Amino acid sequence: MKVYSIILAGGKGTRLWPISREEYPKQFCRILERSLFSMTVERALMFSSPEEILIVTNRAHEVLVKREIEDMGVEIPEENILLEPEMRSTLPAIYYAALEIERREGDATVAVLPSDHYLEANENYRRAFEEAFKAAKNHIVTFGIIPRRAHTGYGYIKPGERIESFENVFRVEKFVEKPDEERAKKYVEEGYLWNSGMFAFTLESLKEECKAHQSEIAESLERDGENAYCRLPSLSFDHGIMERTRRAVVVKLDVLWSDLGSFDSLYEILPKDEDENAVRGELLKIDSKRNLVHSETGRLIALVDVDDLIVADLPDALLICRRGAGERIREVVNILSERGDERARIPPTVERPWGSFTVLSESEEFKIKKIVVKPGKRLSLQRHNRRCEHWMVVKGTAKVRVGDEEKILKSGEHVFIPLREIHRLENPGDEELEIIEVQLGDYFGEDDIERIEDDFGRK
């Protein structure tokens, strides 16, 4: 039987702010050498072909998913990217994707992989999944990570008796929520496992359990598909199915794993220097130990006589806090959101279907952007009611329309777009086009774009 993989790639990212944002969650960030999403796709390819991988995300992250797939050079069909109209947690997402697999294949074995976790896929991983696929013929399988220490940020699974004829598959005796420190130590001593949020099952078993325990969700999605989303409850697969079914089993998994739910979790998995500092970027340190330094600006970070700090340096925001105080970062995000500050949601570089833009500088009177357009792509035909623009080509060839006039611009050439004039930027070449855009006016929000025509169906 074929193995399909469902990759869950929705969700918002605030706990690693300013690295991750609501519109740039951690699975797409290059926190490590590669994104967590690309690493998840690689794990899925261990058991599924590109045609057998389905990705569940939302419209806000569609561009990020496609960028990652393109950068990897993996030919996952575009129709395998399923867009949830609204986020409703993992149970609706999984059942939505499962129905699509059933439509194509009938019955199949399915693996569910969150894309926002870090996991080292070694031989232990391969063996655990191969055994899980066999157990999935009669069970709903989850994966329990063998703990390396007591951790208060994870849920736990208590394994029961071993399933006959399997080496590493056990009945689930119970699930427990995130414990305090004392209980976490007790759970580790008693052989509890970390709950990884990964699953395996057959479509037949999934449908039977969903109809038995969550019939409203199952029947609504089967009848109305994505149109049912607005009526569905937000419900996790653990709460909706795993904690109710009698067919739940757990496969013990001995790998390095983290949900990267905080800067402290990130520090744990990163390589350290001789003073136990975890560093991305350029660091000059004097008598400073056990710090996490993450810089995406190219600036030199100098630390003098400080220990146990988190320093996250982004072009538009700098975070400094004590390690262990990372939970309070949410307070920062909440304050920014209440102020209407876009830095709570939007990263410095924003991905678009045609390429990306980066805000270089801004004030009440102007905004300066670097715009990158992919070969063969073009922006919408548009106009602005509250700003004029000036484009300077830095690299590549630009095809520009201003009003009814079209022209080709090379590196070093420029054009002015008056207020309310229709205009369009296109890259007709075979290399990336880079321009610098200077906006002048009294408002520079992305909602001051009146799209007249768009290749990507945007309004």
Side-chain angles (χ1 to χ4, degrees), residues 150-167:
H151 201 298
T152 60
Y154 302 149
Y156 284 74
I157 300 171
K158 183 179 182 181
E161 63 181 9
R162 185 171 62 85
I163 301 298
E164 187 177 350
S165 77
F166 289 98
E167 178 184 351

Side-chain angles (χ1 to χ4, degrees), residues 29-201:
C29 300
R30 305 297 168 93
I31 302 172
L32 309 173
E33 292 183 2
R34 296 171 296 152
S35 71
L36 298 174
F37 176 86
S38 67
M39 296 166 72
T40 307
V41 172
E42 288 185 355
R43 294 199 304 274
L45 288 168
M46 294 172 67
F47 307 106
S48 305
S49 69
E51 294 76 20
E52 295 162 352
I53 297 174
L54 275 69
I55 300 162
V56 185
T57 187
N58 53 67
R59 297 191 186 281
H61 302 149
E62 179 185 10
V63 172
L64 298 172
V65 167
K66 290 181 176 178
R67 181 204 69 182
E68 291 291 329
I69 293 171
E70 182 180 344
D71 289 350
M72 292 181 70
V74 178
E75 296 183 0
I76 296 176
E78 187 166 340
E79 59 268 24
N80 284 21
I81 302 173
L82 307 180
L83 303 179
E84 292 184 288
E86 300 180 38
M87 286 184 282
R88 287 292 186 264
S89 195
T90 53
L91 177 54
I94 290 168
Y95 203 76
Y96 180 40
L99 290 176
E100 176 61 23
I101 297 171
E102 183 187 45
R103 185 185 67 80
R104 302 180 189 183
E105 195 68 34
D107 198 14
T109 301
V110 177
V112 176
L113 308 175
S115 64
D116 58 352
H117 295 177
Y118 174 80
L119 190 154
E120 288 189 354
N122 54 22
E123 190 57 31
N124 289 345
Y125 179 88
R126 180 183 294 277
R127 287 198 300 267
F129 267 77
E130 288 173 347
E131 191 167 29
F133 295 145
K134 295 175 183 176
K137 293 177 181 178
N138 298 301
H139 303 92
I140 307 292
V141 183
T142 189
F143 295 83
I145 308 297
I146 297 176
R148 282 166 164 71
R149 66 176 181 86
H151 201 298
T152 60
Y154 302 149
Y156 284 74
I157 300 171
K158 183 179 182 181
E161 63 181 9
R162 185 171 62 85
I163 301 298
E164 187 177 350
S165 77
F166 289 98
E167 178 184 351
N168 207 27
V169 183
F170 302 82
R171 295 199 183 279
V172 172
E173 189 165 318
K174 67 176 178 178
F175 292 89
V176 293
E177 297 294 336
K178 300 174 183 178
D180 57 26
E181 186 69 30
E182 184 178 346
R183 286 183 180 272
K185 290 178 180 178
K186 180 181 178 183
Y187 290 157
V188 172
E189 291 171 359
E190 294 179 356
Y192 284 55
L193 308 168
W194 288 339
N195 189 347
S196 72
M198 298 185 292
F199 309 100
F201 44 74

Side-chain angles (χ1 to χ4, degrees), residues 22 67 94 131 136 150 190 192 199 213 246-247 250 336 338 352 356 372 377 381 421-422 426-427 435 443:
E22 181 178 328
R67 181 204 69 182
I94 290 168
E131 191 167 29
E190 294 179 356
Y192 284 55
F199 309 100
H213 303 292
R246 296 181 179 180
R247 300 164 73 177
V250 59
L336 291 174
E338 289 168 4
R352 290 289 186 257
S356 65
V372 178
K377 301 293 185 181
L381 182 65
E421 184 65 89
I422 64 168
E426 180 177 349
N427 181 358
I435 73 164
Y443 180 73

Side-chain angles (χ1 to χ4, degrees), residues 30 93 187 208 238 320-321 349 354 378 399:
R30 305 297 168 93
Y187 290 157
E208 289 174 355
D238 273 331
I320 302 173
C321 73
T349 296
W354 43 260
R378 61 181 182 174
K399 182 179 179 181

Side-chain angles (χ1 to χ4, degrees), residues 265-300:
S265 297
L266 178 60
Y267 176 83
E268 288 179 0
I269 69 165
L270 289 174
K272 316 290 193 301
D273 65 15
E274 66 278 5
D275 292 317
E276 298 185 75
N277 295 299
V279 181
R280 175 182 171 178
E282 185 180 5
L283 173 67
L284 191 159
K285 65 183 190 299
I286 299 174
D287 295 330
S288 298
K289 299 178 180 180
R290 301 181 302 279
N291 298 290
L292 169 57
V293 176
H294 178 102
S295 176
E296 299 182 17
T297 64
R299 285 192 288 259
L300 169 68

Side-chain angles (χ1 to χ4, degrees), residues 223-355:
R223 183 180 61 248
D224 300 325
E226 66 177 28
N227 295 325
Y229 256 80
C230 63
R231 304 190 302 272
L232 298 180
S234 183
L235 187 63
S236 73
F237 194 81
D238 273 331
H239 290 321
I241 300 298
M242 298 304 294
E243 293 179 5
R244 300 169 185 262
T245 178
R246 296 181 179 180
R247 300 164 73 177
V249 298
V250 59
V251 173
K252 291 184 179 180
L253 184 52
D254 188 11
V255 296
L256 179 60
W257 173 89
S258 172
D259 75 345
L260 290 189
S262 67
F263 278 105
D264 292 302
S265 297
L266 178 60
Y267 176 83
E268 288 179 0
I269 69 165
L270 289 174
K272 316 290 193 301
D273 65 15
E274 66 278 5
D275 292 317
E276 298 185 75
N277 295 299
V279 181
R280 175 182 171 178
E282 185 180 5
L283 173 67
L284 191 159
K285 65 183 190 299
I286 299 174
D287 295 330
S288 298
K289 299 178 180 180
R290 301 181 302 279
N291 298 290
L292 169 57
V293 176
H294 178 102
S295 176
E296 299 182 17
T297 64
R299 285 192 288 259
L300 169 68
I301 305 295
L303 299 182
V304 180
D305 199 23
V306 292
D307 302 330
D308 302 304
L309 289 184
I310 296 167
V311 180
D313 185 28
L314 278 289
D316 63 341
L318 170 64
L319 169 75
I320 302 173
C321 73
R322 285 283 179 192
R323 283 183 48 217
E327 288 298 318
R328 301 199 66 186
I329 293 171
R330 290 182 179 182
E331 297 176 34
V332 176
V333 177
N334 290 339
I335 291 170
L336 291 174
S337 298
E338 289 168 4
R339 292 177 179 173
D341 193 318
E342 290 186 341
R343 287 172 293 186
R345 301 184 300 107
I346 300 174
T349 296
V350 178
E351 301 288 337
R352 290 289 186 257
W354 43 260

